[in-house]
Amino acid sequence: MSEHIHLTPLHNISATDAAAWHRVVAASMARDLPGVPSPGPQQIHAELTKPTLDSHRLTWLATRTDGVAVGVAGLRLFTSPGRDHLAELELHVDPAHRRLGTGSLLLSAVVAACRAEDRRSLIVEAAADSPGEAFCEERNFRRALALDHLILHLDQLDEAAVLQAADAEHPGYRLTGWTGTVPDDLAAVFAAAKNAMNDMPVGDLDFGTVDWDADRVRAMARVIADRGDTLLTLAAVHDGGTMAGYTEILLPQGAPPRAQQYDTAVVPAHRGHGLGLWLKAAMVGRLRAEHPGVVEIETDNAEDNVHMLAVNHRLGFRSYRRTREFQLDLPAA
């Protein structure tokens, strides 16, 4: 049946293209990720049309002969030093049109683009024990990282435990926070703390490294704001002026009830003082005070990241699904 599917590279994405993309993603996620909210039409449009940080995106739409979209593929090509070998794939096929060759057609186009862009590593995430996982394994992707996804229901908190963690004394440290772009006086030390994420567990992924500086943290905040999302940050600042750690929460546009945990990191020299738990507990308090419409937070951790998993479990996060990161190695031609 694959000969009846037409692939269209999308260069100037129209509202019609974005709506078709949304329908495919929503159908795919409803089948493979029940209980996980799919991005809304406006989110999809923003993701497809707004600039990304240190990367560019290629997109394809797969349609039947009658013009109905049945599959989509988005390829993010990283461009910064340390990650310019890497590409990241998102691929969805409408469940009603699977096993007919559409996914293979899309993947062939993606792999050809990776080779043209001189990429050696293609990574993709798939729900554990899902059709996406089987698709990857059948096409020589290798399992590289297992992720545990957790949910914190804010109406089921152990109030006393969270309050105790948020109010715990940490001599020599103070909390500060902001919405959106980091204040100028903290930009450099925030960038230095961001570099602590380079030692997070990534399994066997050829993920590369990211070199953060003040300009890059400002650029990241602009990218998030431009697509209509809100980024909240809390940081622990040491008396000496360095930033010891931070935690970030993303509120997707449209004020949905589920917030997404972004980075949480503690700088190596400041680990062992309970700062991660303090920061995350304080962020829960901030969310409840400033964004009462948020009722749950989703996060994910590598299954071997035992320290952060322990912190999240202490706060009341509970595992609810698993995903796996797969990597396709693309030898040089």
Side-chain angles (χ1 to χ4, degrees):
M1 292 291 289
S2 60
E3 65 270 18
H4 300 303
I5 299 298
H6 179 65
L7 293 192
T8 304
L10 301 178
H11 302 294
N12 297 304
I13 296 172
S14 68
T16 300
D17 294 332
W21 191 290
H22 173 259
R23 286 192 295 271
V24 172
V25 170
S28 174
M29 291 184 63
R31 172 67 62 85
D32 298 338
L33 296 170
V36 179
S38 64
Q42 289 183 316
Q43 282 179 267
I44 291 286
H45 188 267
E47 289 172 5
L48 291 173
T49 59
K50 298 297 183 181
T52 54
L53 182 63
D54 292 341
S55 61
H56 64 275
R57 183 187 287 113
L58 302 178
T59 53
W60 294 264
L61 191 66
T63 56
R64 300 185 319 205
T65 52
D66 60 1
V68 173
V70 296
V72 299
L75 183 66
R76 185 178 179 188
L77 296 155
F78 295 91
T79 56
S80 60
R83 300 188 80 190
D84 52 4
H85 66 284
L86 183 66
E88 188 174 49
L89 171 64
E90 178 186 9
L91 191 153
H92 295 275
V93 176
D94 187 314
H97 299 278
R98 290 177 178 173
R99 312 301 298 181
L100 299 174
T102 301
S104 295
L105 277 175
L106 287 164
L107 182 59
S108 293
V110 164
V111 169
C114 285
R115 293 190 183 281
E117 295 276 351
D118 197 25
R119 304 299 157 136
R120 70 169 185 261
S121 301
L122 174 64
I123 60 174
V124 64
E125 183 177 301
D129 306 315
S130 71
E133 180 178 81
F135 178 88
C136 290
E137 291 180 335
E138 290 167 3
R139 288 156 181 84
N140 299 318
F141 284 78
R142 59 179 176 82
R143 292 188 187 186
L145 179 67
L147 294 170
D148 191 4
H149 294 252
L150 305 95
I151 287 284
L152 177 64
H153 298 285
L154 297 182
D155 61 349
Q156 299 173 18
L157 285 177
D158 181 338
E159 302 276 357
V162 174
L163 185 62
Q164 181 181 24
D167 289 345
E169 292 189 6
H170 294 273
Y173 298 94
R174 62 179 175 86
L175 289 180
T176 188
W178 62 88
T179 299
T181 305
V182 60
D184 286 344
D185 62 326
L186 292 174
V189 291
F190 182 44
K194 273 275 190 183
N195 285 311
M197 289 298 291
N198 282 325
D199 70 354
M200 69 178 179
V202 294
D204 294 323
L205 285 175
D206 184 12
F207 203 67
T209 58
V210 179
D211 185 17
W212 290 92
D213 58 20
D215 288 340
R216 194 174 196 277
V217 295
R218 295 187 186 104
M220 173 60 83
R222 286 195 299 270
V223 165
I224 291 171
D226 285 349
R227 70 179 188 229
D229 299 335
T230 300
L231 186 64
L232 309 179
T233 307
L234 278 178
V237 179
H238 188 254
D239 283 349
T242 61
M243 190 171 290
Y246 66 93
T247 190
E248 298 169 318
I249 287 284
L250 184 89
L251 305 178
Q253 65 167 294
R258 180 177 293 185
Q260 297 291 330
Q261 179 76 60
Y262 261 31
D263 292 351
T264 299
V266 176
V267 174
H270 297 276
R271 291 173 184 168
H273 301 293
L275 300 183
L277 179 64
W278 184 36
L279 284 161
K280 296 194 76 162
M283 180 63 88
V284 168
R286 180 180 173 186
L287 269 178
R288 299 186 77 187
E290 298 178 10
H291 301 276
V294 173
V295 299
E296 56 193 15
I297 306 169
E298 179 175 4
T299 190
D300 63 75
N301 300 116
E303 288 184 354
D304 59 355
N305 190 352
V306 292
H307 174 72
M308 192 53 68
L309 283 167
V311 167
N312 285 328
H313 287 145
R314 283 189 63 184
L315 281 174
F317 281 88
R318 295 295 176 260
S319 301
Y320 86 111
R321 67 184 180 96
R322 293 175 300 123
T323 60
R324 295 190 176 101
E325 295 273 1
F326 288 85
Q327 181 170 312
L328 182 65
D329 301 312
L330 300 167

